[in-house]
Amino acid sequence: MTPWDRRLLSEEFLTRSDAEFNPSGNDQIAAEILWGAAAQLLLIEIHREPTLNFTDHGSYRDAATFLQAKSTGTVVLTDFDCANKLHGHFYHGHLSESDLRSCRRITKRFIQRLGTYLDQSTEASPPHTA
Amino acid sequence: MKIRHEAHTIMSMLPDRQRAFIIGSPERVSECIQALSDADIEVWHAYPINALATGLMGTSNPPDVGPAQIPELFLNYLADIPPGPLAQGWRQPILEAVKDAGERYFNAADRNFQLGDVRSAAHDLCSAVNCAVIGQAAIRGWPHADASNDINTMLGLATGILPADQTQFRAVIDNTAEENLDLNSAYGAATGILQAVDHGYFHAFGYTTETATQLARHAFGLITQTGGPTP
């Protein structure tokens, strides 16, 4: 997958997550899809940054730590940890409604800020057309 | 009356504070807490720190306080006013006791990490953060009895609006400006440590002893430094 493929997939996951976060939806599935939207953006950075390497789930946290430093705090590590809680919720369903709502809002901030950061990169921009 | 242990720890550290002299000794705090069993629990159960005066006045030997010694908190109690913000003179001792209590939990976390007891350490870290939240709630007269109160407090601190119910929580969190979410983010990340341990994914999600401690200290620092208008 190219970086742009991942950007598009992230946007699609964001839309699907919003659709699933409703009274008739499943909040564990919604949480996982929203986590996926964040993970896709992190994978762009993991794959392009030579000092990062994807080995396991902890690699996402390494990437978020790296990004917080590289973006001088624009991309926030604690926002990532809230996104990570959504991934945990998919497996365990342990978040209260308020916690889930709060993590959802913060994860969206993470995605928005990471997207803005990636916009500065040509690799994550739309492919040029002839 | 069951009082969450973090509130109990904060209360037990108040007598060390000069301006909380009216309480007396740590033993006196225990007596106050015991006396709370007979107090008006329906009114005070969600406000354990604010209820301290209730318990103090309910002991067998209530303080013989002259007008100059009576903090507003006591005046409120004596006037049968429902829980409200702590009087100005009580805020600083509460916040200082919160810092002491937080450090006690951070030290306990360090010891437990060294012993390899990650679960206990994670509980200690979250207790430290809870102390910060409880203190901020108490001085504002907000409920601080449990985790659901805490998450409302965090939103209240971030936005100035303490959600009255779930519907209001949804509305406030969904409409909060991005730049106002730092407190909620720090608190969410810190509470995630304990959830990760309890559900067995602490190491799998990339947490370490150091990162967990950093997250909790970051949240504790942000919350305790929160100023803003208090009622």
Side-chain angles (χ1 to χ4, degrees):
Chain A
M1 290 176 71
T2 68
W4 183 241
D5 290 336
R6 293 193 185 281
R7 288 298 298 269
L8 292 178
L9 192 55
S10 176
E11 288 173 14
E12 181 183 338
F13 283 172
L14 197 56
T15 303
R16 287 194 180 190
S17 173
D18 280 342
E20 192 68 28
F21 267 121
N22 67 62
S24 61
N26 182 310
D27 62 40
Q28 287 176 254
I29 293 172
E32 181 68 350
I33 300 172
L34 186 54
W35 155 256
Q40 287 298 328
L41 298 187
L42 286 167
L43 284 167
I44 293 172
E45 187 70 6
I46 291 171
H47 289 150
R48 76 176 180 177
E49 171 52 47
T51 62
L52 296 174
N53 188 25
F54 189 86
T55 54
D56 53 30
H57 188 85
S59 302
Y60 289 115
R61 195 164 202 289
D62 294 340
T65 304
F66 173 85
L67 279 161
Q68 177 167 265
K70 191 177 172 188
S71 70
T72 60
T74 303
V75 177
V76 181
L77 181 59
T78 54
D79 287 4
F80 164 79
D81 280 316
C82 291
N84 229 356
K85 286 173 70 169
L86 295 179
H87 185 48
H89 183 70
F90 173 64
Y91 291 105
H92 304 288
H94 56 12
L95 298 184
S96 67
E97 185 185 345
S98 295
D99 204 0
L100 182 61
R101 197 88 183 184
S102 184
C103 286
R104 180 186 174 199
R105 180 76 179 83
I106 292 162
T107 300
K108 284 188 168 185
R109 175 171 92 156
F110 180 73
I111 291 168
Q112 195 277 326
R113 289 182 169 185
L114 182 51
T116 300
Y117 171 80
L118 291 171
D119 280 341
Q120 299 166 359
S121 162
T122 54
E123 287 179 63
S125 297
H128 292 290
T129 52
Chain B
M1 177 177 170
K2 181 174 171 55
I3 297 176
R4 63 193 301 190
H5 65 90
E6 293 98 340
H8 194 287
T9 303
I10 294 168
M11 291 155 77
S12 71
M13 290 182 154
L14 271 170
D16 293 336
R17 295 295 157 194
Q18 193 176 358
R19 279 180 286 182
F21 64 92
I22 201 164
I23 294 171
S25 65
E27 293 73 24
R28 184 77 163 153
V29 173
S30 300
E31 192 186 352
C32 294
I33 292 169
Q34 291 295 319
L36 280 173
S37 302
D38 299 316
D40 188 355
I41 293 174
E42 287 300 312
V43 176
W44 293 100
H45 76 281
Y47 305 82
I49 290 180
N50 307 62
L52 194 57
T54 310
L56 186 58
M57 301 307 287
T59 59
S60 58
N61 183 26
D64 180 17
V65 290
Q69 291 178 290
I70 301 177
E72 268 178 61
L73 179 67
F74 287 84
L75 290 173
N76 283 354
Y77 168 69
L78 295 170
D80 200 22
I81 295 172
L86 284 176
Q88 193 64 41
W90 274 79
R91 292 179 188 176
Q92 195 58 32
I94 294 286
L95 294 177
E96 288 173 7
V98 163
K99 287 190 177 177
D100 291 346
E103 281 310 311
R104 177 181 283 190
Y105 285 116
F106 280 123
N107 290 337
D110 287 345
R111 284 194 301 274
N112 280 317
F113 273 133
Q114 286 170 9
L115 293 170
D117 186 352
V118 175
R119 181 176 297 273
S120 295
H123 275 274
D124 293 330
L125 291 178
C126 285
S127 287
V129 175
N130 289 343
C131 284
V133 183
I134 288 171
Q136 292 292 341
I139 64 174
R140 288 166 171 76
W142 295 349
H144 46 276
D146 55 33
S148 65
N149 292 153
D150 292 349
I151 200 164
N152 284 344
T153 295
M154 293 311 301
L155 192 54
L157 292 174
T159 64
I161 302 169
L162 183 70
D165 54 32
Q166 196 59 45
T167 302
Q168 194 175 12
F169 184 94
R170 288 187 209 118
V172 175
I173 192 72
D174 288 352
N175 292 300
T176 299
E178 280 192 1
E179 59 268 27
N180 292 336
L181 290 171
D182 288 349
L183 274 174
N184 303 81
S185 177
Y187 175 75
T191 53
I193 300 165
L194 186 54
Q195 292 163 345
V197 169
D198 284 346
H199 294 282
Y201 56 80
F202 181 83
H203 296 294
F205 272 27
Y207 291 108
T208 64
T209 299
E210 291 74 22
T211 56
T213 303
Q214 284 168 5
L215 281 173
R217 282 205 175 272
H218 174 65
F220 185 85
L222 272 186
I223 298 165
T224 53
Q225 289 160 22
T226 298
T230 54

